[in-house]
């Protein structure tokens, strides 16, 4: 009798430090529902990572619970996947300390994200910001994840996690699965609506530059109408047309239409018609997600049950790895 093929483990995490944008959603979380049938998915809200930047306690708690409900509304199904809040699973911080001792200072000092964030927050260049990639490695390696969805800005961190895993395995014998990057089939990179050479970001000072997943329809329409395009007034995908290319990417992401189909649809039409169509398509796509979010955020008891039960599941899996690691190093069991 043939045994069913074991599904590969995929691990992904997001920081709950503010609103989730349309860019986060189209670039990563829109695919999460489809992945759950194909892989064993483990998702985390990386709230331990978020405190490298000072957080206001009440707002931080609110953002964490909002992100938990919103990602469930986006399609994370706790019946199919594990979805937990990182700080509720103590093995992450424990393994992170151990991995700090197997990570070289020079490796961490080469991390471009550390340099970028240090420049952004010069008043608070803390040790956590520096050792952040070791915690990220612990997140991944605890679950023996084979695949990690990564954007361009996280490739360096995944490479470090691989190096740490190989180094530890080399010293003590195979302990960790060495993870590979997972590149989604539709790898949308959504840019700022005001500066389409930069990635859409929730930390942008200009609120017109990004669409938040919980933005009201009127705000979404207004932001798209103000989106930067060019003087050509022709909807086509081409080099040097960053603003139009970005809007085409968004329209394609929410409608499933190819760029060829989009070009045909707007042949002979101006940017006003195009921006309105993109805005309306985004509003319609987000409507069921926003409605589901409203239901979930009102049912606090259900949400709490979900994150508590999922933290217990994550702890049970991650403790197996941590025990193995501690035994190999020689800690008294």
């Amino acid at each position: 009798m043939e045994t069913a093929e074991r599904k590969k483990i995929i691990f992904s995490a997001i920081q709950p430090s503010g609103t989730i944008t349309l860019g986060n959603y189209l670039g990563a979380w829109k695919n999460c529902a489809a992945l759950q049938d194909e892989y064993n998915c483990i998702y985390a809200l990386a709230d331990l990572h978020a405190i490298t930047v000072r957080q206001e306690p009440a707002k931080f708690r609110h953002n964490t619970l909002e992100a938990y409900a919103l990602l469930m509304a986006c399609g994370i199904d706790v019946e199919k996947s594990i979805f937990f809040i990182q700080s509720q699973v103590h093995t992450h911080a424990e393994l992170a300390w151990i991995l700090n001792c197997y990570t070289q200072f020079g490796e961490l000092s080469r991390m471009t994200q550390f340099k970028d964030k240090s420049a952004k927050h010069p008043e608070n260049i803390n040790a956590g910001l520096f050792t952040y990639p070791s915690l990220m490695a612990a997140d991944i390696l605890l679950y023996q994840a084979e695949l990690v969805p990564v954007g361009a800005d996280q490739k360096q961190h995944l490479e470090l996690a691989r190096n740490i895993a190989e180094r530890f395995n080399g010293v003590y014998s195979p302990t960790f699965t060495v993870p590979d990057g997972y590149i989604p089939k539709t790898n949308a990179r959504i840019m700022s609506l005001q500066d389409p050479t930069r990635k859409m970001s929730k930390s942008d000072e200009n609120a017109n530059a990004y669409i938040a997943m919980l933005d009201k329809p009127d705000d979404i329409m207004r932001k798209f109408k103000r989106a930067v395009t060019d003087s050509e007034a022709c909807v086509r995908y081409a080099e040097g047309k960053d603003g139009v290319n970005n809007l085409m990417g968004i329209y394609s992401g929410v409608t499933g239409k190819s760029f060829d189909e989009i070009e045909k649809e707007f042949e002979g039409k101006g940017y006003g018609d195009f921006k309105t169509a993109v805005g309306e398509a985004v509003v319609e796509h987000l409507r069921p997600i926003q409605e589901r979010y409203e239901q979930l955020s009102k049912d606090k008891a259900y949400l709490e049950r979900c994150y508590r039960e999922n933290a217990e599941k994550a702890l049970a899996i991650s403790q197996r790895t941590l025990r193995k690691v501690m035994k190999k190093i020689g800690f008294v069991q």
Side-chain angles (χ1 to χ4, degrees), residues 194 219-228 272 275-276 279:
Q194 292 298 311
D219 293 330
I220 293 172
M221 294 305 296
R222 179 177 47 77
K223 288 179 185 183
F224 276 113
K225 282 176 180 166
R226 291 181 179 174
V228 168
K275 289 180 184 181
T276 301

Side-chain angles (χ1 to χ4, degrees), residues 229-249 258-271 274:
T229 46
D230 53 51
S231 57
E232 195 192 22
C234 171
V235 178
R236 65 187 181 89
Y237 193 89
E239 209 170 313
K241 289 175 70 70
D242 296 332
V244 174
N245 295 348
N246 188 39
L247 292 177
M248 287 177 75
S258 71
F259 284 4
D260 285 347
E261 288 170 323
I262 295 168
E263 286 177 10
K264 284 195 186 80
E265 185 182 342
F266 293 98
E267 213 172 323
K269 292 182 181 172
Y271 288 157
F274 180 48

Side-chain angles (χ1 to χ4, degrees), residues 15-20 55 63 66-67 202:
Q15 282 194 46
S17 50
T19 186
I20 294 170
Q55 300 288 340
N63 285 346
E66 179 184 277
K202 59 192 166 193

Side-chain angles (χ1 to χ4, degrees), residues 55-103:
Q55 300 288 340
E56 195 273 295
K59 193 175 176 199
F60 185 35
R61 255 191 306 277
H62 168 81
N63 285 346
T64 303
L65 293 172
E66 179 184 277
Y68 195 86
L70 183 52
L71 289 171
M72 283 178 71
C74 286
I76 292 182
D77 181 348
V78 290
E79 299 298 317
K80 293 179 178 177
S81 305
I82 295 175
F83 179 35
F84 65 97
I85 298 170
Q86 183 191 28
S87 61
Q88 298 186 339
V89 183
H90 57 79
T91 45
H92 286 252
E94 291 170 55
L95 184 61
W97 168 252
I98 291 172
L99 296 186
N100 275 337
C101 303
Y102 293 84
T103 309

Side-chain angles (χ1 to χ4, degrees), residues 8-285:
K8 285 188 172 178
I9 298 167
I10 204 164
F11 177 87
S12 190
I14 186 172
Q15 282 194 46
S17 50
T19 186
I20 294 170
T21 69
L22 184 68
N24 300 131
Y25 170 71
L26 291 177
W29 296 98
K30 180 172 178 272
N31 303 316
C32 69
L35 290 179
Q36 293 172 121
D37 296 324
E38 223 175 306
Y39 299 99
N40 278 329
C41 296
I42 300 175
Y43 296 119
L45 273 185
D47 57 342
L48 292 174
H49 285 284
I51 65 166
T52 58
V53 176
R54 287 277 177 277
Q55 300 288 340
E56 195 273 295
K59 193 175 176 199
F60 185 35
R61 255 191 306 277
H62 168 81
N63 285 346
T64 303
L65 293 172
E66 179 184 277
Y68 195 86
L70 183 52
L71 289 171
M72 283 178 71
C74 286
I76 292 182
D77 181 348
V78 290
E79 299 298 317
K80 293 179 178 177
S81 305
I82 295 175
F83 179 35
F84 65 97
I85 298 170
Q86 183 191 28
S87 61
Q88 298 186 339
V89 183
H90 57 79
T91 45
H92 286 252
E94 291 170 55
L95 184 61
W97 168 252
I98 291 172
L99 296 186
N100 275 337
C101 303
Y102 293 84
T103 309
Q104 297 305 302
F105 190 89
E107 289 176 311
L108 292 174
S109 57
R110 283 195 292 276
M111 294 288 136
T112 51
Q113 211 168 9
F114 172 68
K115 293 170 190 166
D116 294 347
K117 285 201 170 176
S118 302
K120 213 171 183 184
H121 301 278
E123 76 298 339
N124 182 24
I125 303 173
N126 56 70
L129 191 61
F130 188 66
T131 61
Y132 177 110
S134 302
L135 175 57
M136 194 168 159
D139 297 337
I140 297 163
L141 301 180
L142 273 170
Y143 300 96
Q144 306 293 348
E146 288 134 306
L147 295 168
V148 182
V150 278
D153 54 345
Q154 295 292 359
K155 274 188 183 145
Q156 210 185 10
H157 287 165
L158 179 64
E159 204 46 54
L160 181 66
R162 287 172 57 84
N163 292 346
I164 295 168
E166 285 167 351
R167 182 175 300 139
F168 194 94
N169 290 351
V171 173
Y172 296 104
S173 78
T175 310
F176 296 120
T177 300
V178 179
D180 285 316
Y182 171 83
I183 309 296
K185 291 178 187 76
T186 51
N187 193 17
R189 186 168 160 80
I190 304 303
M191 312 307 274
S192 157
L193 297 180
Q194 292 298 311
D195 177 4
T197 61
R198 285 172 42 223
K199 201 171 134 185
M200 185 181 283
S201 169
K202 59 192 166 193
S203 54
D204 203 306
E205 274 145 34
N206 184 350
N208 289 315
Y210 62 89
I211 302 291
M213 290 296 286
L214 297 174
D215 272 350
K216 296 196 164 35
D218 289 353
D219 293 330
I220 293 172
M221 294 305 296
R222 179 177 47 77
K223 288 179 185 183
F224 276 113
K225 282 176 180 166
R226 291 181 179 174
V228 168
T229 46
D230 53 51
S231 57
E232 195 192 22
C234 171
V235 178
R236 65 187 181 89
Y237 193 89
E239 209 170 313
K241 289 175 70 70
D242 296 332
V244 174
N245 295 348
N246 188 39
L247 292 177
M248 287 177 75
I250 293 169
Y251 193 58
S252 171
V254 296
T255 62
K257 292 177 182 176
S258 71
F259 284 4
D260 285 347
E261 288 170 323
I262 295 168
E263 286 177 10
K264 284 195 186 80
E265 185 182 342
F266 293 98
E267 213 172 323
K269 292 182 181 172
Y271 288 157
D273 291 337
F274 180 48
K275 289 180 184 181
T276 301
V278 178
E280 285 170 352
V282 169
V283 167
E284 284 314 307
H285 190 85

